[in-house]
Every structure is written in structure tokens, then in C-alpha cells.
Amino acid sequence: MFNRTSLQAAAALASISLLSGCSVFSDSESAVDQRIVVGTTSSPSTLDPAAAWDNSWELFRNVFQTLVAFPTGSATPNPDAADCAFKQGSSSRVYECQIHEGLTFSNGHKLDAEAVKYSIERIRTINVDGGPNGMLGSLDKIDVPDPQTVVFRLNQPDATFPFILATPAMSIVDPAEYPADKLREDGKLVGSGPYVLDDYSEGEKAELTRNPSYKGFADRKNGGVTIRYFKESEPMVTALKKKEIDATYRGLTAEEVVALQEDKPENQHLQLIESTGADIRYLVFNAKDPSVARPAVRRAIAQLVDRDELVNKVYQGTAEPLYSMVPKGIAGHTTKFFDRFGSPDAAKAKKILREAGITETVKLDFWYTTDRYGSATGPEFTELKRQLEESGLFEVTLHGKPWKEFQAGYQKGQYPVFGRGWFPDFPDPDNFIAPFVGKTNVLGTPYLSPKITGELLPKSRRESDRGAVTDEFTEAQEIMVQDVRLLPLWQGKLYIAASEDIAGGERALDPQTVMQMWELGRRTSW
């Protein structure tokens, strides 16, 4: 029968099964040796970590190691290829790692401190436009005092640096296999992670087999994984129902999630595992544009947007309303926009405009990308237009463009209001505030807030205990509510659909929402 499981319910189910003596997660040799076939619409854009600040991380996490990583159940960086810590008295400016003994790449070459230094420095040397070098702004230099020790010296206190090193962008590569000053382009990949990439066909499949020389935290529950890449989600779901694939990750539409929950014959023997995602959607206001330059206009919009209606109508419950830029599940999350504006209210929005001397209907242009965040983006903006125009206070014209054109436009400051999404680099509130503020930011729209950039962020980055920085990020979010330069809309839920004989789906997504393929295995009994 069909099973819909949350992470909490899955954990409880495992406990009940163990108490009753039923073997749910088999560690038998036959089960562990079996291959798993996983489908996704998220194919890599590159096989070289020096170029990737995108969904290529899904593959990298499974074939490379990083110095530190996020083992299942951890929200803070833990040892992977090394034991690391900030040096005492360094004020979060000197981060030292001791490489584990005996590590090798899958080709037999030694993984040592020089390989780590080489891997990070080639990211900076190649400096791909839009690539991961943008994450290394606080790095000054790297020292290698001995073969097993690497020391990162930062140009300013940055307690988030370990989180950056834990991203798959900082994967450790073999200097003998990867050029120092250009990307590797032969379609091959060599790492030291849980799996070896045996075969890769761009846009079609990746064949992963166990890395026999792997030494790390991953406890592999399968003999290997075939990843099949689909251009559309519909054939992926069909393949799951036909048992041509065992599981899916990334790409399910809201309609497909709802359909998979229906009690129908084709859904028998399937399970759907739901977890709270950290990806968010939000509106960006370009304060240089006359149409939204006045704060009252932006505040009136914030007073009108009905997030509940938006997620129910367009996303059918597969997303959650969001009232701060820091989503639920991340330390520092608040509901500041709800606290300030409350429920949608046209009368209050009208009062905000009239008190600012705005009596005419406000005409606005809203821009969105047609091919980046899924097929529901168009209907989402249609619903936003409806909500604002229903008040009689706004007249909205919608414009959709393919991602490449859309990105070029907002980076040039051409759009007064536009929609963006954010998939976090790491699970820390800094990653939901810092990228969007300052003279130069990921939005191409300067957001000058000296209090945030000059005081709150630097203060928080001096604190290595990330649980102790809530006050700084609460204050930063209060400032963002006052400015309404960014308007959070919703955060996503994550779904893994799988055959009922597949175990480990509830443990497969790390805090970066990257799929850890080694957690998936076959049940031998139920």
C-alpha cells in the first residue's frame, strides 16, 4: 500500500520495527550488494568542482570527500577527510585541519595536505564566473606545515568558514588529474569519496560503484547506484511506477506529489517521504527604480500578499508560508514579517499608501524566470498579480524570461520587482542574510545596510558557537522588515518518492539538501 512518511514518523517506525524484531534496514551481504536506481531532473552542469555552485553538488557529494561534511543527523560540520578546528585565541581567523592517515584517491594516489591546498587554490586561480570562488572571500592564504596538516588563514573572523569547507564545491581533487589553471573537460572524475564514477553520459545517467579504498563516515547500504537524469518529471514518475527506477529526488511537481498520495492502484507499493526544505522563494525590490523607490509602496505590497492562499492554490500544500529570509529549521528563524504586517489587509495597505501621499493606482512590472524554479512559477506570479490588483491599489504587468536572459537583466538592474529562489550553501543563518546585502550581492541590486554589513554580520562571524548568534540575526531581520527590500514568500518541502522496499530515504538528504546515495538500500523483510 501507499505510505506517506515524515522524517519524525520514519524514525518512530524504525524504533517500533526494531522492538518488534522485524528487520527493516538489512545489513545482510545480499542486500548491501544490490544496486539502487535513482531518478532526478537535477543533472550536473559540470564534473569539475572548481566550476560548480549549483546542483552538480549532488554528484560530487557521493564521489568526492571534503575536509569536513554533514553526516546524517548533523547540522554542524563533522570530520570527513580531516579533523579540523579554529586555533584557540585566533578569533575565528586560523582554521587548522589534520588530514586522516592513509587516505587515497580512487586511482591510488595519496590524499594529503598538499592535495587539499591545490584543490582550494585552483578554485581561486580558475575563478569561474558565478563559480565557488565567490564563497572564499574571507580566505587569505593556505599553509602546509607538514604532509598531514593544512592551515587556513583568514583575512577577517569568519566562523562560517567550516560550513563553506563542508560544501561539495570544496571537494578534494587529485593534483595529477586536475589542471591547476583550467577546468578538467575530458568527462571523467577522480575522487576519494564513497563511490567511483564508472560511466557518465551527460543528461542521461551516471554509474556509481563502491570505492574499495574509501575511508570515511559513509556507511554504504548498497552495492552501487545508477542515477538516471530526466528532462521532465512526468517520465520520471512513470519510470518509478513501472519499477524502472527505485527512487526519485528533486523534480517532483506539486501536482505529482498530490497525485502520488492518492489511493490508486498505480500508487500501491510506493512511499513518499516528506521533510522541511531550506530552499526559499522571495521578491526583490530594486529601490533605484522609481516605481518601488518609496518604502510605502513596498510595505503596502507586504501588507497585501497572502502567502497561505499562494501556497494552497499554486503549490497545493507542498510549500509553507515564509515570514523571514531565514527559513524554519535554521537557527535564527523568526516570523518578523507576520509580526509587523499580520494577515493580508487591503484597508491597511491603502492607509500605508495614503499616508505617504500616494493616491493613484501604482503601476508595477513583475519579472520572473520561466525555466529555473519549476512550472509553477508562472501561476505563482499570476496569483500575486491577482492579489495585488484585487485591492484596487496596484496594476501589475507580468514578464517571464528564460533563466539566462532573466539573470542578465536583473544583474544589470533592469527589473523593478523580480522573483528569486535561494538554495542554501550551508545550514547557517548567515547564508540567508549575507548573500543579499551590501554594494555587491547575488541579486545585482545593491542593498546598503551599514548596520547589517558593518556590525551584525562581522560580530556574528566572530562567534564559533553558531547557536549563540540568534540576537544578531534577529536584529538583521528586523531591519529587513523595515526596509522591505526583500519579501519572503514561501519555503519548500522536500519529497523522496520510492518503492516500498527501499529503506533509508528519511536519512538520505543532508542539511544542504544534497542526496547521500549511500543511505539507500533494500529491505529484506517488512
Side-chain angles (χ1 to χ4, degrees):
M1 64 177 292
F2 175 81
N3 295 293
R4 185 174 188 270
T5 311
S6 69
L7 294 190
Q8 293 84 355
L13 177 61
S15 299
I16 293 169
S17 300
L18 289 172
L19 287 171
S20 64
C22 178
S23 175
V24 177
F25 302 111
S26 171
D27 60 358
S28 69
E29 184 177 356
S30 59
V32 170
D33 285 344
Q34 292 190 43
R35 292 186 66 83
I36 302 293
V37 183
V38 180
T40 180
T41 60
S42 178
S43 61
S45 64
T46 176
L47 295 186
D48 193 325
W53 199 351
D54 59 17
N55 53 9
S56 303
W57 287 9
E58 303 279 8
L59 181 61
F60 297 165
R61 173 58 75 209
N62 292 279
V63 294
F64 289 106
Q65 282 183 289
T66 45
L67 289 169
V68 290
F70 295 101
T72 300
S74 171
T76 57
N78 278 244
D80 187 358
D83 291 301
C84 303
F86 280 108
K87 295 201 74 171
Q88 288 189 350
S90 71
S91 300
S92 299
R93 293 185 63 162
V94 180
Y95 193 65
E96 184 173 302
C97 296
Q98 295 294 321
I99 311 298
H100 295 161
E101 295 285 349
L103 295 184
T104 64
F105 294 101
S106 58
N107 59 10
H109 296 174
K110 186 176 182 180
L111 191 163
D112 57 13
E114 287 291 350
V116 173
K117 179 179 180 180
Y118 182 93
S119 300
I120 305 300
E121 288 190 339
R122 73 184 292 268
I123 293 174
R124 306 181 79 186
T125 299
I126 299 172
N127 193 22
V128 172
D129 186 26
N133 189 36
M135 303 172 68
L136 295 171
S138 64
L139 178 60
D140 183 17
K141 64 177 182 176
I142 306 173
D143 293 331
V144 178
D146 61 66
Q148 298 304 119
T149 306
V150 59
V151 180
F152 298 93
R153 301 190 184 277
L154 310 182
N155 53 37
Q156 58 188 343
D158 186 1
T160 70
F161 190 71
F163 290 83
I164 294 169
L165 289 180
T167 67
M170 303 300 149
S171 296
I172 305 167
V173 302
D174 181 2
E177 296 273 357
Y178 290 80
D181 56 358
K182 62 180 181 180
L183 297 176
R184 180 174 184 172
E185 297 178 343
D186 61 359
K188 297 180 180 180
L189 183 157
V190 175
S192 60
Y195 297 99
V196 175
L197 181 64
D198 273 348
D199 184 47
Y200 179 76
S201 299
E202 185 175 354
E204 295 182 13
K205 69 174 182 176
E207 296 282 359
L208 308 181
T209 58
R210 282 180 167 231
N211 178 3
S213 63
Y214 171 66
K215 295 181 180 179
F217 65 84
D219 180 13
R220 294 164 292 191
K221 306 294 196 308
N222 55 63
V225 179
T226 297
I227 305 175
R228 285 185 55 189
Y229 299 112
F230 293 84
K231 290 182 173 60
E232 303 290 340
S233 59
E234 184 177 354
M236 180 175 71
V237 173
T238 299
L240 177 66
K241 291 179 178 179
K242 291 182 176 180
K243 299 185 178 181
E244 295 171 353
I245 62 176
D246 298 304
T248 71
Y249 78 96
R250 295 222 190 272
L252 293 177
T253 66
E255 292 79 9
E256 287 163 345
V257 169
V258 172
L260 283 169
Q261 297 178 68
E262 295 176 352
D263 187 12
K264 293 183 176 180
E266 63 265 30
N267 291 337
Q268 301 301 308
H269 311 298
L270 295 179
Q271 58 177 316
L272 189 68
I273 299 167
E274 173 190 309
S275 63
T276 300
D279 61 307
I280 66 173
R281 298 293 185 276
Y282 55 96
L283 291 179
V284 182
F285 298 98
N286 182 357
K288 290 187 176 182
D289 190 280
S291 66
V292 289
R294 290 172 289 186
V297 172
R298 307 194 297 268
R299 290 169 185 159
I301 294 172
Q303 185 63 72
L304 287 171
V305 170
D306 189 333
R307 294 167 177 82
D308 287 317
E309 188 80 356
L310 179 66
V311 298
N312 288 332
K313 266 191 174 182
V314 180
Y315 292 99
Q316 301 180 52
T318 62
E320 297 181 81
L322 182 63
Y323 296 96
S324 80
M325 289 300 289
V326 179
K328 185 169 70 174
I330 301 294
H333 167 70
T334 69
T335 56
K336 291 295 181 181
F337 273 89
F338 184 83
D339 298 342
R340 169 68 185 273
F341 296 102
S343 300
D345 192 316
K348 289 182 179 179
K350 183 176 181 179
K351 182 179 180 182
I352 291 171
L353 292 174
R354 298 299 182 258
E355 288 181 347
I358 302 171
T359 58
E360 301 293 326
T361 300
V362 180
K363 297 183 178 181
L364 296 174
D365 289 277
F366 275 32
W367 295 76
Y368 64 93
T369 176
T370 57
D371 59 353
R372 177 75 168 180
Y373 305 124
S375 60
T377 306
E380 174 181 340
F381 273 76
T382 299
E383 172 61 16
L384 289 171
K385 170 184 168 72
R386 184 197 67 78
Q387 292 182 10
L388 295 183
E389 291 187 341
E390 191 174 64
S391 70
L393 302 172
F394 293 93
E395 181 181 321
V396 179
T397 301
L398 300 180
H399 307 270
K401 280 185 174 292
W403 172 251
K404 288 187 178 180
E405 295 178 47
F406 175 79
Q407 185 180 39
Y410 77 69
Q411 287 179 342
K412 294 177 182 177
Q414 294 177 350
Y415 309 148
V417 186
F418 58 97
R420 281 297 313 271
W422 183 249
F423 298 88
D425 301 317
F426 49 85
D428 187 273
D430 187 284
N431 198 233
F432 292 90
I433 302 293
F436 310 120
V437 294
K439 186 175 181 180
T440 57
N441 57 47
V442 298
L443 303 172
T445 304
Y447 179 5
L448 303 180
S449 177
K451 178 72 172 181
I452 295 177
T453 58
E455 181 179 332
L456 296 176
L457 287 176
K459 182 180 178 183
S460 72
R461 288 171 177 172
R462 289 193 289 269
E463 179 56 68
S464 58
D465 179 3
R466 303 309 292 162
V469 296
T470 300
D471 290 347
E472 287 78 14
F473 287 105
T474 297
E475 186 172 353
Q477 291 172 83
E478 288 175 349
I479 294 170
M480 287 182 155
V481 170
Q482 291 292 329
D483 296 340
V484 195
R485 292 289 306 279
L486 305 167
L487 184 64
L489 297 173
W490 55 268
Q491 71 180 95
K493 296 179 182 179
L494 297 174
Y495 294 91
I496 294 176
S499 299
E500 68 173 357
D501 66 329
I502 297 298
E506 72 284 350
R507 295 175 54 84
L509 294 174
D510 74 1
Q512 297 161 310
T513 68
V514 172
M515 190 74 152
Q516 302 176 137
M517 298 294 182
W518 59 83
E519 292 287 359
L520 300 177
R522 295 193 188 279
R523 296 184 174 99
T524 56
S525 60
W526 179 247

